[in-house]
Amino acid sequence: MATRYDVSSVPPQGGYVAKQCPVRAQWDAIHPCDPLPPSVALQRRFARGRDFEAEIVAELSHRHPDAVNLLSQDREKRKEREEAASAAMARGSRLIIGGRLATDYSGRRTGEPDLLVASAGTGYRPVDIKHHRSLVERSADSNADAALCSALDDLSWEAAGTDAAMAARKRRADLLQLAHYQRMLEVAGLAAGDGRHGGIIGVERVVVWYDLDAPVWRTPSSSGRTRLRSTMEIYDFEFDFRLDIISVAAASAADPAVKRLVVPVKIAECAECPWWSWCGPLLEAGPGDVSLLPRIGWREWRIHHDHHVTDRAALAALDYRTATLIAAGVDLRPVLSACGRLPAETHLADVLGARRSAQTARLAAAGLHTLGDAASLCARTASYSDAPMQDLPEQIDQARAALGRSPAYRRRDVTTACVPRGDIEVDIDMENTADGVYLWGTLVTIRTEWTARPAGYRAFSSWEPMTAATEGELFTEFWRWLTDVRAAAAADGLRLRAYCYNASAENSQLRRLASACGLEDEVAAFIGSAQWIDLYRVFAGQLITGESIALKAVARLAGFSWEVPDPGGDEAMLRYEQAAGPDGDPAAREWLLAYNRNDTEATRALRSWLDDAATDCPSVADAIAGPFPGE
């Protein structure tokens, strides 16, 4: 994307700007208020990242004694560090740690890649160190390419080999940062000449290589369809866009008549943004911005604003029936344009023509045969035919649920809420860090006469330093226990169900650890069986709230509350730091065990509520479409 504004006065930007929210880039430039300090959890995450980076750097320094390590230099002496890194590259140093690339004034870029690794020919490739996993298990029938990895003994791309069992985990933020360094190397004439490749060293302690020119990101296109774009393409667009934003923001600060390029939108990043104290009240005022609804991102927000639907009340007021036709692929524009122009008895097949027979059939299925019938459709909702969204009906119901008087509503096709139950029920919840799973919590509930195994909570935990062996032993102990309970129930002819809330995390860890422990077939059979129930999917398939349906949010519907202070993943991370190790804090361990037990108890309480009181929730089909409180 060509820059549309004069950005010559924009200070050179680092690699983070392209991967962060564009609204944040705007506020970072002009500071509309005092920024919020980083949370304790975020500070600790940063500290853990720095500690991990230091560990990797120490290991690399040991393995590569000839490496140039510039981390000891004063970080504020930027010019000196740029010169030192440039000199090291001019000498052909094989590995440069903590270098600073020469500032690209024409491109408005600065950058400090963790590592610069020499290619076999000429030039360098960027590598960053990240405290998270960079590999995911690759199933035999997976379409994902095998990961390309090199060991820390030889970091180079040329030394990399494929790992058929694993695929590279593509984190957009990581790859955009690598693209930033790649562009800087190219401007300086120091990039490797045989392809654009960058690497990430994650907790697996290998370099995972990525082709930055590979088309891997599906994005909207001007045609209304989507297309695959490369990391370099995405980076160029995002970085140039933010340069424009920063330039215009500075002009707006000097002259309020200049309109800023972006306005606040609620996204996942908001939870840890220093400017949420500014954006939050703006978004939550009145009926609330449409982006406050679940799963409405930038694209959906833009479509709504283009149709002058800017808050939840306006979205709730759209017509559900009309929206279902749009979601089904019916272009209502020619139909509504013919209303009033052609006789009411005109058949819709004659309006749409033979080439749109499938659309005519969908209209007929909805009871619409003539233009007179079509006059009952909502013109404002039909205008979305120019940018159809398959989940527009869902968004309308989410808006109505968010603004309605009931804390939850049954979905339109649900008359009675239900959940699969068992004679023996096992609630499962795991706790993990970037290093691995340190706790598998289980809660057994016996709903019949059975004494073969005890009821109650049982934790499989380890506070030892997390290694692959420690994690594998812990998982094996947990899996043997679960297998034993399942077998005992089956032997007595009893139905066993196991539950978790949002199984994606548990399933990922179950598969990963099963692969390491030789239990792939057993675990795969369990995950794919009717015994394993994702209560999140059960809830989402039957009820709608217009808000988050994370466990902490929906457990209150069942009257459940956590007994530990500040329950949540961030707090659990902090407590684990205190709990881990031979001298770990006993109080922190107690907190984590109580927190995990409460999570399993919460799923049990929610399950009972779903099986009983949830049916009394009103149908979202009966929710009012406006006006709403606050309008």
Side-chain angles (χ1 to χ4, degrees):
M1 166 181 151
T3 302
R4 299 167 297 168
Y5 300 89
D6 179 9
V7 299
S8 59
S9 61
V10 174
Q13 301 292 309
Y16 274 77
V17 72
K19 66 184 187 181
Q20 289 181 324
C21 168
V23 179
R24 179 169 181 175
Q26 179 172 269
W27 298 150
D28 283 346
I30 61 176
H31 285 232
C33 64
D34 291 333
L36 295 170
S39 66
V40 174
L42 187 58
Q43 292 180 53
R44 187 56 188 153
R45 197 181 312 155
F46 289 155
R48 288 279 289 168
R50 290 192 295 269
D51 291 345
F52 178 70
E53 180 181 337
E55 290 176 18
I56 296 297
V57 165
E59 183 174 351
L60 291 175
S61 297
H62 175 73
R63 293 173 182 266
H64 304 273
D66 58 342
V68 175
N69 190 339
L70 300 176
L71 291 177
S72 60
Q73 293 196 14
D74 185 346
R75 283 192 174 271
E76 295 303 314
K77 296 182 178 179
R78 295 181 176 86
K79 187 64 177 177
E80 290 84 345
R81 292 176 59 227
E82 288 182 6
E83 292 173 350
S86 295
M89 286 187 278
R91 294 194 303 270
S93 300
R94 304 303 300 168
L95 174 62
I96 302 169
I97 302 171
R100 181 179 174 87
L101 296 172
T103 300
D104 172 15
Y105 288 101
S106 62
R108 319 312 296 169
R109 297 182 182 91
T110 64
E112 300 182 8
D114 293 331
L115 308 174
L116 288 166
V117 179
S119 72
T122 59
Y124 287 81
R125 297 187 176 93
V127 174
D128 255 11
I129 301 168
K130 300 293 184 182
H131 188 226
H132 56 61
R133 295 190 182 278
S134 294
L135 295 170
V136 293
E137 183 186 0
R138 179 173 174 265
S139 60
D141 57 350
S142 172
N143 292 325
D145 293 333
L148 185 65
C149 307
S150 55
L152 298 188
D153 283 331
D154 188 346
L155 303 168
S156 69
W157 175 73
E158 289 82 359
T162 56
D163 183 344
M166 307 300 289
R169 187 175 186 177
K170 297 180 180 65
R171 289 178 176 259
R172 179 180 167 116
D174 290 354
L175 271 61
L176 289 178
Q177 200 166 348
L178 293 174
H180 182 82
Y181 303 140
Q182 175 68 29
R183 282 287 183 243
M184 294 191 71
L185 287 167
E186 289 173 355
V187 169
L190 295 168
D194 51 351
R196 297 184 174 103
H197 298 90
I200 296 292
I201 300 176
V203 297
E204 299 88 352
R205 293 176 182 263
V206 297
V207 184
V208 180
W209 289 99
Y210 299 87
D211 181 353
L212 302 179
D213 280 330
V216 295
W217 306 109
R218 186 163 295 282
T219 61
S221 68
S222 57
S223 66
R225 300 181 179 180
T226 61
R227 57 167 287 196
L228 288 173
R229 290 183 170 87
S230 70
T231 300
M232 297 306 301
E233 289 177 296
I234 297 294
Y235 165 77
D236 288 338
F237 176 90
E238 298 292 357
F239 188 77
D240 286 352
F241 180 39
R242 282 154 182 78
L243 291 184
D244 290 345
I245 288 169
I246 295 168
S247 175
V248 174
S252 176
D255 179 3
V258 176
K259 185 178 180 181
R260 298 174 188 137
L261 293 186
V262 289
V263 297
V265 179
K266 176 72 181 294
I267 58 174
E269 192 179 322
C270 293
E272 295 180 339
C273 179
W275 306 114
W276 179 243
S277 59
W278 181 263
C279 294
L282 295 175
L283 292 171
E284 293 166 355
D289 188 79
V290 292
S291 65
L292 295 174
L293 295 170
R295 294 179 298 281
I296 289 188
W298 281 102
R299 175 181 176 271
E300 294 80 8
W301 179 90
R302 170 53 60 195
I303 291 173
H304 286 307
H305 276 242
D306 287 346
H307 291 82
H308 307 291
V309 173
T310 60
D311 60 44
R312 292 181 295 185
L315 178 54
L318 295 180
D319 180 56
Y320 183 86
R321 182 191 185 205
T322 305
T324 60
L325 293 169
I326 296 171
V330 179
D331 186 352
L332 295 173
R333 289 173 294 181
V335 172
L336 292 185
S337 67
C339 287
R341 182 170 53 83
L342 296 177
E345 60 271 17
T346 303
H347 286 280
L348 296 180
D350 296 330
V351 175
L352 292 174
R355 295 182 62 183
R356 294 180 178 179
S357 59
Q359 295 188 34
T360 302
R362 294 188 184 103
L363 288 165
L368 303 171
H369 304 279
T370 67
L371 286 178
D373 298 332
S376 63
L377 296 175
C378 171
R380 188 178 189 190
T381 309
S383 69
Y384 280 80
S385 292
D386 64 354
M389 294 183 286
Q390 289 189 341
D391 60 346
L392 182 58
E394 166 82 2
Q395 294 176 30
I396 292 171
D397 278 353
Q398 289 282 2
R400 293 182 181 182
L403 298 175
R405 293 178 174 84
S406 176
Y409 290 85
R410 282 180 288 110
R411 290 186 175 275
R412 290 173 182 262
D413 58 348
V414 174
T415 56
T416 302
C418 62
V419 57
R421 302 301 298 263
D423 303 309
I424 314 300
E425 297 183 340
V426 184
D427 291 283
I428 297 173
D429 184 70
M430 66 90 190
E431 308 292 343
N432 70 302
T433 69
D435 296 324
V437 180
Y438 65 86
L439 170 59
W440 293 91
T442 65
L443 177 66
V444 175
T445 301
I446 300 173
R447 303 178 67 234
T448 187
E449 295 294 328
W450 195 61
T451 57
R453 298 293 184 273
Y457 175 76
R458 177 170 178 174
F460 300 86
S461 61
S462 174
W463 311 112
E464 298 301 316
M466 188 55 62
T467 64
T470 300
E471 188 185 27
E473 290 171 5
L474 182 64
F475 172 73
T476 300
E477 183 186 2
F478 156 73
W479 184 253
R480 285 174 179 165
W481 173 87
L482 180 60
T483 301
D484 172 69
V485 174
R486 292 168 64 203
D492 290 335
L494 299 176
R495 174 174 292 179
L496 180 143
R497 303 278 196 187
Y499 305 86
C500 71
Y501 199 80
N502 202 347
S504 58
E506 271 76 11
N507 286 350
S508 175
Q509 299 291 359
L510 284 168
R511 291 190 180 100
R512 179 179 65 84
L513 291 167
S515 177
C517 298
L519 296 166
E520 297 99 323
D521 292 342
E522 289 184 34
V523 170
F526 170 68
I527 290 175
S529 74
Q531 281 190 335
W532 186 226
I533 309 296
D534 184 349
L535 207 59
Y536 172 89
R537 290 187 177 276
V538 172
F539 186 99
Q542 300 181 83
L543 297 173
I544 190 167
T545 68
E547 299 176 349
S548 166
I549 57 170
L551 182 60
K552 303 298 184 299
V554 298
R556 65 175 182 262
L557 295 170
F560 187 86
S561 60
W562 275 251
E563 64 187 65
V564 297
D566 303 318
D570 286 343
E571 183 68 18
M573 292 288 187
L574 293 173
R575 299 280 182 164
Y576 179 73
E577 294 298 323
Q578 301 165 359
D583 300 321
D585 181 5
R589 294 178 181 179
E590 289 288 336
W591 188 98
L592 287 164
L593 290 170
Y595 169 65
N596 181 265
R597 172 173 53 80
N598 284 172
D599 277 356
T600 61
E601 292 169 339
T603 58
R604 181 175 65 181
L606 183 63
R607 178 166 66 255
S608 297
W609 179 83
L610 282 167
D611 205 26
D612 182 19
T615 296
D616 296 332
C617 291
S619 171
V620 73
D622 300 326
I624 57 174
F628 294 98
E631 283 192 272

